[in-house]
Amino acid sequence: LVLVLAPLDTIEAVPADSLTAMAGALAHELRNPLAGIRAALEQVGRQLAASHRLLIDEVMTRIDAMDGLLDELLMFASSPTPQVEPLALPALLDDVVNSLANRSVPTFQVSCLGTVPPVRGDEAMLRAAFLNLLMNAVQANQGDEPIGIVVEGRPDSVSIAIVDHGSGFSTDARSAMFRPFFTTKARGTGLGLPNARRLIEAHGGRLTVESRPTGSRVVVTLPVAGADTAAPKSPQPAAD
């Protein structure tokens, strides 16, 4: 495997289909060796005294972070085809928020306006999309104000607004925020927003971003489940 680094403007000139294929191939090539390295380190760690395992634990943490990056690359390279069913969206959002509760993150304030009907959704895909969006809000938030999540039901759709209290997006960032691999973060992949939008749009929904000097407001709109569909499914809690 040979990695060739290129300037961002060169990468942006590559056709989208080719870029997607390269991202998928790279992720597949790296995943198996990375898993092997992690397994070997676990074996070594078991043979060391606790006082000597700190370095091993640190390396494994970095490997897990790299594995998360590969997940994003594979998601970017895939063509999402949701397996939709009626889904209780407030329960899904509560579960995603709870999965973040054990991390050093701001608190969330979730509110529902009116009756929220079930949406047509693929639980795993929507969980991934909202986790990406909430992590973006966490990283952008400044101070101790909670991140707001407002869910509003309408006759034919459900909207979810995620409001952070950061500094918003610059003009340049607003025009490029959905471009794959564009990021303003020191260690960002630039795939969080593009992946989230692809997953939402695969559900027939929309994702928009409003930026203000006092923060950003991300709005997701999803179609409701049909009246003749089965009862909404409550999501299974995410694995720790």
Side-chain angles (χ1 to χ4, degrees):
L1 176 65
V2 178
L3 298 181
V4 179
L5 302 181
L8 183 58
D9 56 353
T10 302
I11 294 174
E12 290 168 356
V14 177
D17 289 347
S18 298
L19 193 60
T20 299
M22 285 191 294
L26 178 63
H28 281 295
E29 285 289 337
L30 290 177
R31 170 147 281 178
N32 288 339
L34 203 61
I37 293 170
R38 195 186 194 288
L41 285 172
E42 283 183 318
Q43 291 289 341
V44 171
R46 293 192 188 103
Q47 301 172 31
L48 297 177
S51 59
H52 296 149
R53 284 203 299 263
L54 292 178
L55 181 58
I56 295 290
D57 291 344
E58 175 65 20
V59 174
M60 289 177 62
T61 297
R62 298 299 178 91
I63 289 175
D64 289 341
M66 291 176 66
D67 198 55
L69 187 152
L70 295 181
D71 282 339
E72 290 195 336
L73 280 173
L74 287 170
M75 189 183 299
F76 172 70
S78 67
S79 298
T81 304
Q83 303 299 310
V84 298
E85 57 187 332
L87 190 65
L89 199 53
L92 175 63
L93 289 168
D94 282 342
D95 188 51
V96 175
V97 166
N98 289 336
S99 74
L100 297 173
N102 295 329
R103 309 185 192 185
S104 300
V105 300
T107 57
F108 297 90
Q109 187 172 32
V110 184
S111 57
C112 294
L113 303 180
T115 302
V116 179
V119 300
R120 292 189 300 109
D122 180 303
E123 180 184 333
M125 287 188 181
L126 289 182
R127 184 188 301 278
F130 283 112
L131 182 60
N132 257 333
L133 296 175
L134 290 181
M135 285 305 299
N136 277 351
V138 165
Q139 292 164 359
N141 208 57
Q142 298 174 1
D144 298 325
E145 288 192 75
I147 293 168
I149 304 174
V150 181
V151 186
E152 183 175 3
R154 301 189 179 100
D156 60 351
S157 64
V158 175
S159 71
I160 308 94
I162 301 171
V163 182
D164 68 59
H165 303 281
S167 55
F169 290 92
S170 68
T171 301
D172 289 343
R174 281 199 299 273
S175 64
M177 64 176 64
F178 290 113
R179 186 189 305 158
F181 304 110
F182 172 84
T183 182
T184 58
K185 302 170 189 172
R187 294 187 177 181
T189 63
L191 291 174
L193 275 176
N195 278 341
R197 185 169 72 168
R198 290 174 75 239
L199 293 174
I200 296 301
E201 290 180 346
H203 284 77
R206 300 188 310 275
L207 190 158
T208 60
V209 180
E210 304 166 10
S211 181
R212 306 181 302 274
T214 55
S216 299
R217 184 172 184 264
V218 177
V219 180
V220 173
T221 305
L222 291 166
V224 301
D228 58 347
T229 53
K233 175 187 175 185
S234 294
Q236 297 298 315
D240 293 333

